[in-house]
Amino acid sequence: GAVRATQRVLMGVANSQFVFEGKVVQVTMSAGIARCQHGDSAHSLLERADAALYQAKAGGRNHARSADEDKPLEPASTNRER
């Protein structure tokens, strides 16, 4: 589902090489996920996803949070040494 797909994207971004001004830079991302519920408007769906994103950011780099789950998702692991 959406959670697994998001974890794959997080890992893909973290394990990719990005070059900025000739230097390799570490890039990570955070994500907020929300499931469309009966009666949702586009605004209410995006509001929940946005709140989940802020919770993910509070969890640190490379995190995702689902608005529909009580606990944070596991951080995406990387193959890259830091």
Side-chain angles (χ1 to χ4, degrees):
V3 171
R4 284 188 188 156
T6 301
Q7 291 293 60
R8 286 194 302 269
V9 171
L10 291 176
M11 288 187 324
V13 169
N15 288 323
S16 296
Q17 278 197 346
F18 293 89
V19 179
F20 178 73
E21 295 183 352
K23 295 182 182 180
V24 176
V25 294
Q26 174 74 38
V27 175
T28 60
M29 62 177 274
S30 297
I33 305 165
R35 182 176 315 184
C36 188
Q37 298 174 355
H38 181 72
D40 259 344
S41 65
H43 181 77
S44 64
L45 176 63
L46 290 174
E47 239 177 14
R48 285 198 325 281
D50 190 50
L53 173 60
Y54 279 94
Q55 290 175 349
K57 287 180 175 185
R61 294 175 185 236
N62 220 34
H63 279 75
R65 180 75 188 220
S66 173
D68 305 313
E69 296 183 20
D70 291 334
K71 60 182 180 168
L73 306 175
E74 291 295 317
S77 61
T78 63
N79 296 327
R80 190 187 287 182
E81 292 186 26
R82 304 211 180 220

